[in-house]
Amino acid sequence: MRLHTTTWGEGDRLALLIHGIMADHRTWRRVGPALAERGYRVLAVDLRGHGVSGRASSYTARDHARDVVETLPAGAELAMGHSLGGLVLSLAVRELAPARAVYVDPAWRLAQGPDGFRPERFTRAKQLTRAMVRSVNPRWTDEDLDAEMAALELWDESTAYGLAELTGRDLLPAAPVVPSLVPLADPSTLVPAERAALLRGRGFEVRTVAGTGHCVHRDDFDGFMASLEGWIHPGTGGGTGSPGPADTAGAIDTAGAIDAAGPADPVGPVG
């Protein structure tokens, strides 16, 4: 499926952004322009079932990865995914072949049990009020709340059931395909300390953004951008940020597919 994309900036360097479940490109509303100011042209997708991208009968992680590969160009300087977007990026990274990858509090394990991942719990998010979202995200700005409520309105909640097959599976990559940074929440429920240590041992750089919850880039934007130091261009040349995003109904094509043989990053017992 060709995905809807939003663009910030006109720089010579290309950055790709992939959001998490229930969100859309608006989760990057500050990150996109900040990267554009550093000389990037930034493309942010709406995954299938999110934002204004198409709806489908299947919403597996590999479906999302195939869509991303079909929609986004290979060879970007930077690719970044948050939560589900981090998992999707890890499945698509070999085909996308960015120079660097950033996995923001990635969903590399969906826990089992009553306190673990349950699709029906996620579907109830469609009923959340602004006050409820505010209560669990006290550090968000009014603009973040506006973006979240708009995204929830458009979100197809059946996307949550597409992830049920991954519950309890170890999706932690065995090795980085490209140089990879993992900025984590403090603490991260998806990548707790012992798993962060495993990632470091496997060649990932892991950084924690102090005091943040799962939506690291929204809880502390400045802290998140600081965590990218050394991984993004400092903005000393090459393009400027545009005054606003430009929406398109698909982007540059890229060959390649994510097939049933396995994910792009070698992982544990998946598929």
Side-chain angles (χ1 to χ4, degrees):
M1 177 188 294
R2 286 287 196 141
L3 302 174
H4 179 273
T5 66
T6 297
T7 303
W8 291 275
E10 299 174 351
D12 296 331
R13 306 171 186 87
L14 181 62
L16 313 176
L17 303 180
I18 308 171
H19 65 80
I21 195 168
M22 300 189 291
D24 58 28
H25 70 273
R26 284 170 285 201
T27 194
W28 305 112
R29 67 174 195 86
R30 297 184 71 186
V31 176
L35 292 175
E37 288 175 1
R38 288 161 172 79
Y40 291 92
R41 181 169 64 94
V42 184
L43 293 178
V45 296
D46 289 350
L47 294 175
R48 64 168 60 191
H50 298 77
V52 295
S53 284
R55 275 40 186 165
S57 59
S58 177
Y59 289 112
T60 67
R62 286 196 179 89
D63 290 330
H64 292 305
R66 291 186 189 100
D67 294 344
V68 165
V69 169
E70 181 179 346
T71 302
L72 295 174
E77 183 169 308
L78 177 71
M80 183 183 303
H82 171 245
S83 191
L84 169 62
L87 171 60
V88 170
L89 176 57
S90 70
L91 295 174
V93 69
R94 194 175 301 281
E95 284 82 358
L96 288 178
R100 294 182 174 189
V102 177
Y103 302 100
V104 186
D105 214 38
W108 283 337
R109 185 171 180 83
L110 303 179
Q112 291 178 304
D115 295 324
F117 177 78
R118 292 190 296 167
E120 63 274 13
R121 177 184 296 170
F122 275 82
T123 63
R124 292 201 295 271
K126 287 288 280 188
Q127 313 307 318
L128 290 175
T129 66
R130 186 183 179 90
M132 290 173 180
V133 175
R134 166 76 77 186
S135 69
V136 295
N137 300 286
R139 300 178 65 177
W140 287 13
T141 65
D142 286 341
E143 291 81 5
D144 283 320
L145 290 171
D146 291 342
E148 186 73 0
M149 298 310 296
L152 283 173
E153 179 69 24
L154 293 174
W155 173 54
D156 180 355
E157 62 268 40
S158 64
T159 57
Y161 290 96
L163 303 180
E165 66 178 8
L166 302 179
T167 303
R169 296 186 178 186
D170 185 2
L171 308 175
L172 208 67
V177 171
V178 299
S180 298
L181 172 68
V182 186
L184 295 177
D186 179 30
S188 173
T189 59
L190 291 174
V191 186
E194 65 276 10
R195 292 175 68 76
L198 281 175
L199 285 172
R200 289 187 181 97
R202 295 175 183 183
F204 291 82
E205 181 162 348
V206 181
R207 299 175 180 177
T208 297
V209 183
T212 59
H214 178 54
C215 291
V216 179
H217 55 294
R218 295 170 105 168
D219 280 3
D220 183 358
F221 170 72
D222 291 334
F224 173 69
M225 294 304 294
S227 78
L228 303 180
E229 183 178 354
W231 287 79
I232 60 174
H233 194 269
T236 55
T240 59
S242 63
D247 292 341
T248 61
I252 306 165
D253 28 294
T254 302
I258 314 296
D259 51 46
D265 273 350
V267 297
V270 180

